[in-house]
Amino acid sequence: MGKISDKLKELGKSKGIMTHVVIGYPNLQETEQTILNMAETGVSFIELQIPFSDPIADGPTIMEASRVALENGIKVKDCFELMARVSKKVDIPLLFMSYFNIVLNYGVEKFCKDAKVAGAAGVIIPDIPPEETKDGFYEACRKHDLDTILILATISTQDRIEVVNKKRRRLIYCTSRMSTTGSKADIPEETKEFLMTLRKKVSLPLSIGFGISKPEHVSFIKNYADIIVIGSKVIDIMKEATPKNRQVEVKKFLNSILAELN
């Protein structure tokens, strides 16, 4: 049993929130403060995104945050050091999110080992298919007891769903639409049908993300998933707020989401 399993067991039939930060946005110090505030507010999981120059699954908000972080000089080393600091200060599972180019350049085995040592409970690498065995990524994750969060989309085939289910990971990350990340006006009606279909085919908890940005979205989808993922909206709030009010506004928003959730 790892931190992710423990948290899911603790939640039981209650719903949880997974939030997201881009390490180094708007700066490294504030990233750390945001993580601590998110945990204090009561979120269940936090993704720490290692910035990358070509984040193919991300929309304009996270792409811009990654650009700012890279211009701030953030390196992978800084990301591991941040994980090591904050994982000692919060009890909830922290996940590294990034892209395989980062993992490959760092060294697959070394990345997984160092991520676990730093305190990461798991990783989300959206551009590695679950069928992929090249470079030994999944084997290295298993060796170092690092959970891999696999992704299913609304267009995932039955074969892909079966592969993900057989992998027997802790949690499945579902996307609410065929799109990149980013705040959206609504959640497609077919997202409910997608999640209800998955419930019949897989036995793992389901998280849902991509576009969830207001309490109304949570109300619309909360009965169909176990974990609600909030990403770009937090960055939008930080961008729009004054530096003095950023953390206040983020906490206010997350409190409104948590109030709607349960």
Side-chain angles (χ1 to χ4, degrees):
M1 297 285 281
K3 268 196 166 185
I4 294 176
S5 293
D6 290 344
K7 175 54 71 173
L8 291 168
K9 184 177 180 181
E10 177 189 322
L11 285 171
K13 293 183 179 180
S14 299
K15 309 295 182 176
I17 292 284
M18 181 187 296
T19 52
H20 184 108
V21 298
V22 174
I23 299 172
Y25 179 85
N27 55 66
L28 194 57
Q29 182 179 1
E30 191 150 7
T31 301
E32 182 167 346
Q33 188 58 55
T34 302
I35 293 167
L36 299 179
N37 286 341
M38 285 175 168
E40 182 182 350
T41 300
V43 307
S44 301
F45 305 88
I46 306 176
E47 298 176 49
L48 281 62
Q49 181 164 349
I50 300 173
F52 180 53
S53 58
D54 188 22
I56 58 173
D58 292 309
T61 294
I62 292 181
M63 288 183 69
E64 174 64 11
S66 292
R67 182 192 65 78
V68 170
L70 292 172
E71 286 190 353
N72 286 341
I74 296 299
K75 308 296 184 187
V76 177
K77 172 181 69 71
D78 302 313
C79 299
F80 280 98
E81 290 174 354
L82 175 67
M83 176 66 81
R85 289 196 302 275
V86 295
S87 65
K88 292 179 174 67
K89 298 177 181 179
V90 303
D91 293 329
I92 63 173
L94 304 176
L95 315 172
F96 267 138
M97 181 271 167
S98 197
Y99 294 89
F100 190 52
N101 198 353
I102 293 287
V103 179
L104 189 62
N105 286 341
Y106 191 91
V108 173
E109 177 81 20
K110 181 172 171 51
F111 181 94
C112 295
K113 178 182 178 181
D114 289 356
K116 185 65 178 183
V117 169
V123 289
I124 303 174
I125 311 292
D127 56 347
I128 306 181
E131 302 91 345
E132 184 62 72
T133 57
K134 183 180 178 183
D135 300 305
F137 172 72
Y138 291 113
E139 290 76 8
C141 286
R142 281 195 295 272
K143 177 180 177 181
H144 296 288
D145 193 26
L146 194 65
D147 282 335
T148 47
I149 310 301
L150 301 181
I151 298 174
L152 287 173
T154 53
I155 62 166
S156 293
T157 64
Q158 181 59 37
D159 287 346
R160 170 60 61 83
I161 293 170
E162 289 177 1
V163 167
V164 168
N165 195 38
K166 287 177 181 177
K167 289 279 187 180
R168 297 300 304 158
R169 303 310 191 208
R170 312 293 186 193
L171 179 68
I172 296 175
Y173 190 123
C174 305
T175 66
S176 67
R177 67 191 77 227
M178 279 309 299
S179 176
T180 54
T181 61
S183 300
K184 302 292 191 295
D186 56 26
I187 305 298
E189 184 68 35
E190 55 264 31
T191 303
K192 290 183 178 179
E193 184 177 346
F194 166 55
L195 292 171
M196 286 190 291
T197 299
L198 278 184
R199 286 285 192 207
K200 299 173 184 177
K201 296 179 177 180
V202 304
S203 54
L204 299 173
L206 304 178
S207 64
I208 183 73
F210 280 48
I212 300 173
S213 58
K214 50 189 175 181
E216 294 87 342
H217 293 166
V218 175
S219 178
F220 178 79
I221 205 69
K222 66 181 182 180
N223 292 330
Y224 302 88
D226 305 288
I227 307 295
I228 305 298
V229 184
I230 305 287
S232 298
K233 182 61 178 179
V234 170
I235 296 173
D236 287 335
I237 289 169
M238 295 183 75
K239 183 178 180 180
E240 292 164 6
T242 63
K244 183 179 179 180
N245 290 330
R246 281 181 190 139
Q247 296 301 321
V248 171
E249 292 301 320
V250 168
K251 291 173 87 171
K252 185 188 300 183
F253 168 71
L254 290 177
N255 280 327
S256 73
I257 294 295
L258 286 162
E260 182 62 47
L261 189 62
N262 291 308

